[in-house]
Amino acid sequence: MKIPMLNICKRILFLTLVISSVQCHWRKPPPTDTLVVALGSEPKTLDPRFATDAYGQRIGSLIFSSLVRIGDDLNIIGDAAESWTYKNLTYTFKLKPNISFHDGAALTTEDIVFSINEFKKPSSPFSPMMSVIKDVKADYGPSGGSLTLHLTKFSAPFLNDLSAMKLLPKKVLESTGDEFYRNPIGSGVFSFYKRDHKNIYLKSNENYFGQQSKSKFVQFKIIKDANTRFQKMYKGKIDLIQADIPFSKVSIFKNSEKFNVVVAPGLSTTYVLLNLRDPLLKNPEIRRAIHSSIKRDELIKYSFEGLAESATSIVSTANPFHNYALKDEKYSPDKVSQIFSQLKDTKFILKTSNQLSSIENGKVIAHQLRKMGLNVELQSYEWGTYYGDVRTGKFQVAIMKWVGINDPDIYRVSLHSKMVPPGRNRGYYSNPIFDKLVELAFVEPNNLKRKSLYNKAQAIAFKDLPTIPLWYEKQVAIVHKRVKNYSLPTTGNFTSLVNAYKEDDGK
């Protein structure tokens, strides 16, 4: 059947117009009243009672208010609490007036008590942090109020931990139950607006008790593929990407007049987790040989474009508790080869997630270990499977990452002998002297003394190597120049989105 030439021409013209329309739409910048932020993965939940991943907590901190929060300089600052005092195992908080939820309901005394009890429940992932709370007394009304928390013992990181506790609407939660995540109602600077499988939309809360946001909407666009994130950012469809762009692409944005590249120190630490229940990895000489074989400088230079620094501790150099006196003692290549030669008939399994950067880093580390004589097989898994294996001890060697470590209590949480699974001491490390140091630091109110205790604990951990610190990634944000007043917090949180706004340059 022949198609008339006129019809063919019409179809070509139609397709040309469609393509042109799509291209114009592609180039059109997002609305001026909406900040579009790319995310590399989807938050597990927006219910703050169960949000333990970085994106869930960061977005949750915009939707929900807390008593206190961690400031950009890592100091504790007030949120719903105007001020607080401490005496004789008792914290007393003075609460700000006119706090209400996004559905218009005013915050009540019952909401406050209910919120704390929800985070104290044994089923809550935050219950270990809230377990020191013995008794709760609250009195709140439109003009403000107070909250008194009696503790069972002093906890140095308590205020830091308390920042995770969000104010919840009791009646709404009692009616929605486990479905609360679908339409989370808080009292934060932004309210939940809507969600689809690729986007989360927040709207400015006009009744917020604090400083209003400068943008009406924030759209979090979930783009799992790193190359697609790069393409959409570079073509102007995204306003900013915070710490979620491949390091190899950063120089491209630096060389463009359309973008600002913001670099800041980070609080995240990538490390090698060793299962000390393995009879060979129990041997500190083998751990030291593995540590000595990994050439971090090569990885930092070629994989991170220099946007990272070699690690010696779980807490990064951006943290005031970092121990700068740690000395990196490595075995000579001859000694490493000698140790590994005794293991020639033994295969070690190095596990990573299936994220591209994790696989690439795993390949380099496996190659470096093989070059020194260790028989290593690299295996990568989907994140859920991988994390499940790590949590249940089904690994020998794994590459892991602590994100946003702002308090040195992470040493107690991740390495104390009583914190073995289901706790976070997933390598089953045990050292009585180390345990005593972190226990003393946990209840030490004086920061100078606390720092001294953690310096000693860090030195022991770096000597024993239950985990092998690899590097501290610097934070990199790519920001289109139409976005104004943006800054990159040390915490990596999204708090700067409150002050950021956009001037559409039409490009």
Side-chain angles (χ1 to χ4, degrees), residues 283-294 331 335-337 339-340 343 369 372 374 465 468:
N283 186 339
E285 280 206 336
I286 294 176
R287 301 200 298 270
R288 179 68 58 184
I290 293 173
H291 166 78
S292 303
S293 302
I294 300 173
Y331 288 157
K335 185 168 184 177
V336 171
S337 296
I339 292 170
F340 286 167
L343 306 172
L369 291 169
M372 296 304 296
L374 191 67
L465 290 175
I468 300 175

Side-chain angles (χ1 to χ4, degrees), residues 382-440:
E382 179 273 329
W383 171 251
T385 302
Y386 173 63
Y387 187 52
D389 285 354
V390 170
R391 289 178 63 188
T392 54
K394 297 177 183 176
F395 71 97
Q396 274 183 302
V397 185
I399 298 176
M400 294 291 288
K401 185 176 181 178
W402 286 114
V403 177
I405 301 303
N406 50 59
D407 193 278
D409 189 51
I410 186 65
Y411 269 96
R412 181 187 64 86
V413 170
S414 66
L415 294 176
H416 192 288
S417 60
K418 290 184 179 179
M419 294 294 180
V420 296
R424 297 186 182 184
N425 181 1
R426 293 164 185 143
Y428 292 84
Y429 174 60
S430 178
N431 182 320
I433 299 174
F434 174 89
D435 285 354
K436 186 64 176 177
L437 286 168
V438 293
E439 287 169 7
L440 290 172

Side-chain angles (χ1 to χ4, degrees), residues 180-206:
F180 181 66
Y181 74 94
R182 295 185 182 277
N183 183 27
I185 295 174
S187 55
V189 63
F190 286 100
S191 63
F192 177 81
Y193 184 55
K194 62 180 180 178
R195 180 175 187 171
D196 56 44
H197 68 291
K198 291 184 178 180
N199 300 278
I200 297 171
Y201 297 86
L202 306 185
K203 184 178 181 181
S204 178
N205 176 13
E206 296 178 357

